[in-house]
């Protein structure tokens, strides 16, 4: 605990001088007033020292722009009331309100609620809780308590339906290396019986509708989804250009937002997703829970001086013909086409999403821009040449700020 008594000391010195040189009833009254100030100081000091500070967070994880409660609890262990001002954080700029003045009654435990949110992803420190008591008598107390908890802010995701599977017909009597299976762990619908196996009949619902009803399962394939998200500035982009250095940071957030959107949709469909993040380090992850992916996406970062090449990273993975590969990058040149062809020979589909300037959020209006004049000529050349490969399921999409994720996914 700290205290400031400079004002009280000055008042005491002045009162003492007046009583020495100008002794009167008024100077005695002044001295009495100062004495009461010192009495108040020691009394409130004792009360203030015994105030307990605890805290709690509504969530330990939240999404960008999601509001959450930050609760502070003050326990007055004395037999007297006290009015204090509490500032619950020196780091949370979006705190509402930034401070509160509260009265804590004798032996009361008071709960004070603040609301906060975050505009960027990552692990957020809260900092220090500051408690202050001040008086017109010329003194004040304050003490701080470090908040040991942190808040993990997950990346924002946008609901967009991304269907990765290539449509393939299974011909009667023909053997296929693409195995389409029913996912019996996930019932998609209940429908009227139509020559299905008897073990599909749901007898409870059949009794309710007075006719035979069967379970309809969702379908899945044995193929996995591989996502390669390059957060770095690749070859073909000037490394020391100030514009691209700042643009890469903007791209990074959009790339992770798109990645989160695809992963959330796929995991809701119980699809296998292998995520590979190419940033300051190579991070590989696969999980049954989409939250585990978001934990990784909340903290990863790219760099302007990359030491990993996308092509070299992809070569280290082993694919099957049923797999789909998605590549997200800020820029690629047509020199990657041979690598895409080799990759397609091992997999079912290859999708490349280039988003140097991000994409349009569905709720936002379109910009008045000439889209292709924005992009580097190398990226336009890649898109043009990739048109010839699209029939073979090598798909390249150059995303502009006027394209939403839904619009792009509908073209794949």
């Amino acid at each position: 605990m700290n205290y400031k008594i400079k004002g009280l000391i000055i008042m005491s010195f002045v009162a003492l001088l007046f009583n020495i040189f100008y002794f009167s009833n008024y100077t005695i009254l002044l001295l009495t007033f100062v004495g009461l100030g010192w009495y108040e100081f020691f009394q409130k000091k004792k009360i203030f020292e015994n105030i307990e500070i605890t805290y709690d967070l509504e969530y330990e994880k939240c999404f960008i722009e999601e509001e959450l409660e930050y609760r502070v609890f003050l326990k007055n262990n004395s037999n007297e009331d006290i009015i204090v001002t509490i500032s619950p954080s020196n780091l949370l700029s979006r705190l509402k309100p930034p401070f509160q003045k509260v009265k804590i009654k004798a032996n009361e435990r008071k709960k004070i609620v603040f609301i906060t949110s975050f505009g960027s992803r990552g692990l957020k420190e809260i900092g220090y809780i500051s408690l202050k008591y001040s008086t017109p008598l010329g003194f004040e107390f304050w003490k701080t308590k470090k908040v040991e908890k942190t808040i993990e802010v997950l990346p924002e995701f946008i609901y967009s339906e991304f269907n990765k599977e290539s449509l393939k017909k299974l011909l009667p009597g023909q053997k296929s290396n693409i195995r389409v299976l029913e996912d019996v762990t996930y019932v998609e619908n209940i429908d009227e019986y139509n020559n299905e196996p008897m073990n599909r009949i749901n007898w409870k619902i059949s009794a309710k509708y007075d006719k035979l009803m069967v379970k309809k399962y969702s379908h899945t394939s044995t193929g996995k989804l591989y996502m390669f998200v390059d957060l770095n500035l690749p070859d073909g982009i000037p490394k020391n250009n100030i514009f691209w250095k700042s643009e890469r940071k903007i791209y990074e957030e959009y790339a992770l937002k798109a990645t989160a959107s695809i992963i959330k949709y796929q995991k809701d469909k119980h699809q296998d997703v292998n995520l590979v993040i190419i940033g300051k380090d190579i991070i590989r992850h696969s999980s049954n829970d989409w939250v585990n992916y978001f934990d990784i996406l909340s903290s990863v970062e790219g760099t302007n001086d990359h030491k990993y090449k996308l092509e070299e990273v992809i070569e280290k993975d082993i694919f099957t013909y049923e797999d789909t590969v998605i590549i997200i990058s800020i820029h690629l040149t047509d020199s990657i086409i041979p690598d895409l062809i080799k990759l397609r020979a091992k997999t079912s589909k290859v999708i490349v999403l280039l988003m140097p300037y991000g994409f349009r959020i569905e709720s936002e209006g379109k910009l008045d821009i000439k889209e292709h004049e924005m992009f580097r000529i190398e990226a336009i050349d890649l898109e043009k040449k990739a048109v010839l490969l699209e029939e073979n399921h090598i798909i390249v999409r150059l995303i502009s700020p006027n394209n939403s994720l839904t619009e792009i996914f509908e073209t794949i």
Side-chain angles (χ1 to χ4, degrees):
M1 186 185 81
N2 299 291
Y3 55 87
K4 181 181 177 182
I5 56 173
K6 183 178 179 181
L8 188 57
I9 291 174
I10 292 173
M11 287 176 60
S12 302
F13 183 71
V14 170
L16 188 60
L17 288 178
F18 270 109
N19 274 276
I20 293 174
F21 297 104
Y22 304 102
F23 183 78
S24 69
N25 291 335
Y26 295 106
T27 58
I28 293 175
L29 184 62
L30 178 61
L31 194 61
T32 303
F33 179 76
V34 170
L36 290 174
W38 281 105
Y39 174 79
E40 176 79 0
F41 169 76
F42 287 108
Q43 183 189 42
K44 287 296 190 282
K45 180 175 180 288
K46 185 178 180 180
I47 298 172
F48 194 79
E49 282 177 333
N50 291 315
I51 293 177
E52 294 179 12
I53 304 173
T54 54
Y55 52 84
D56 186 31
L57 299 171
E58 184 178 6
Y59 313 116
E60 292 187 358
K61 296 180 182 179
C62 67
F63 289 100
I64 293 174
E65 304 298 343
E66 179 182 6
E67 291 191 340
L68 71 152
E69 287 187 2
Y70 173 29
R71 307 154 184 148
V72 180
F73 301 90
L74 301 179
K75 176 68 166 52
N76 183 3
N77 292 313
S78 71
N79 295 319
E80 293 190 35
D81 301 350
I82 189 171
I83 298 174
V84 295
T85 301
I86 179 166
S87 302
S89 172
N90 63 323
L91 297 178
L92 303 184
S93 60
R94 292 186 170 194
L95 204 62
K96 297 184 295 186
F99 61 88
Q100 290 191 48
K101 194 170 185 177
V102 294
K103 181 179 181 180
I104 316 172
K105 295 181 180 178
N107 299 305
E108 179 187 16
R109 185 174 187 264
K110 196 174 190 68
K111 174 183 175 183
I112 304 104
V113 177
F114 298 84
I115 303 297
T116 191
S117 63
F118 301 89
S120 61
R121 63 187 173 84
L123 196 63
K124 307 297 183 180
E125 298 280 347
I126 294 176
Y128 290 85
I129 297 172
S130 176
L131 194 65
K132 182 180 178 181
Y133 171 80
S134 58
T135 173
L137 296 177
F139 64 86
E140 63 182 37
F141 308 110
W142 70 91
K143 60 181 174 181
T144 59
K145 182 182 180 78
K146 182 172 175 54
V147 179
E148 301 295 340
K149 289 188 176 183
T150 56
I151 302 174
E152 184 182 7
V153 183
L154 304 176
E156 181 184 5
F157 72 93
I158 299 163
Y159 179 79
S160 296
E161 296 188 7
F162 180 84
N163 296 302
K164 73 179 183 65
E165 297 83 0
S166 303
L167 297 177
K168 298 178 176 66
K169 288 186 178 180
L170 300 182
L171 301 178
Q174 298 286 326
K175 186 178 285 189
S176 170
N177 59 352
I178 306 296
R179 290 166 288 169
V180 178
L181 305 172
E182 286 184 321
D183 181 1
V184 296
T185 65
Y186 189 75
V187 178
E188 191 173 68
N189 200 1
I190 300 293
D191 206 353
E192 193 170 349
Y193 177 78
N194 185 21
N195 295 322
E196 286 87 358
M198 294 293 289
N199 62 359
R200 302 283 184 88
I201 298 175
N202 188 314
W203 295 105
K204 184 181 290 187
I205 295 180
S206 297
K208 180 178 180 180
Y209 287 94
D210 198 25
K211 57 184 176 181
L212 293 178
M213 306 294 288
V214 295
K215 303 172 186 175
K216 295 289 186 179
Y217 298 109
S218 65
H219 288 78
T220 184
S221 69
T222 57
K224 296 180 179 179
L225 177 66
Y226 284 81
M227 292 192 68
F228 294 88
V229 185
D230 191 355
L231 300 179
N232 301 331
L233 278 183
D235 294 333
I237 290 286
K239 301 291 187 299
N240 296 320
N241 186 290
I242 295 177
F243 171 78
W244 282 105
K245 282 184 177 181
S246 61
E247 198 64 32
R248 190 202 64 76
K249 289 296 294 181
I250 298 172
Y251 153 78
E252 181 174 284
E253 299 306 317
Y254 276 101
L256 294 175
K257 194 180 298 186
T259 302
S261 302
I262 293 173
I263 288 174
K264 180 67 168 62
Y265 183 74
Q266 292 300 316
K267 297 313 295 183
D268 285 347
K269 292 172 57 185
H270 311 286
Q271 297 287 354
D272 291 328
V273 179
N274 286 337
L275 175 65
V276 182
I277 300 289
I278 307 169
K280 292 181 178 178
D281 299 296
I282 303 294
I283 299 176
R284 299 175 183 270
H285 183 73
S286 180
S287 172
N288 292 325
D289 191 346
W290 63 267
V291 175
N292 295 333
Y293 293 92
F294 278 51
D295 287 339
I296 292 173
L297 297 179
S298 69
S299 58
V300 291
E301 291 182 344
T303 176
N304 295 326
D305 300 312
H306 69 88
K307 57 181 178 179
Y308 305 104
K309 284 194 173 184
L310 173 66
E311 302 90 321
E312 296 171 355
V313 174
I314 291 176
E315 283 180 358
K316 296 180 180 179
D317 283 88
I318 299 174
F319 307 99
T320 67
Y321 184 69
E322 295 89 356
D323 297 332
T324 296
V325 175
I326 299 176
I327 298 170
I328 297 178
S329 180
I330 189 173
H331 178 75
L332 291 172
T333 67
D334 58 9
S335 64
I336 200 174
I337 288 179
D339 297 289
L340 297 181
I341 293 173
K342 291 178 186 177
L343 184 59
R344 170 61 185 88
K346 304 174 187 177
T347 60
S348 172
K349 183 188 288 186
V350 177
I351 301 168
V352 180
L353 302 176
L354 302 179
M355 52 179 74
Y357 309 107
F359 52 82
R360 181 176 65 85
I361 307 301
E362 274 76 358
S363 59
E364 297 175 352
K366 292 199 173 187
L367 302 174
D368 184 18
I369 55 174
K370 295 181 179 179
E371 295 183 2
H372 272 62
E373 291 182 2
M374 301 176 61
F375 301 111
R376 292 180 67 85
I377 189 65
E378 302 98 315
I380 296 174
D381 288 344
L382 171 61
E383 186 184 46
K384 287 179 179 177
K385 293 179 180 179
V387 170
L388 302 175
L389 304 174
E390 195 152 325
E391 290 184 0
N392 294 311
H393 298 294
I394 299 177
I395 301 166
V396 176
R397 292 291 180 266
L398 192 54
I399 303 174
S400 87
N402 274 340
N403 299 136
S404 69
L405 284 183
T406 301
E407 291 169 344
I408 293 297
F409 294 164
E410 285 175 350
T411 69
I412 296 176

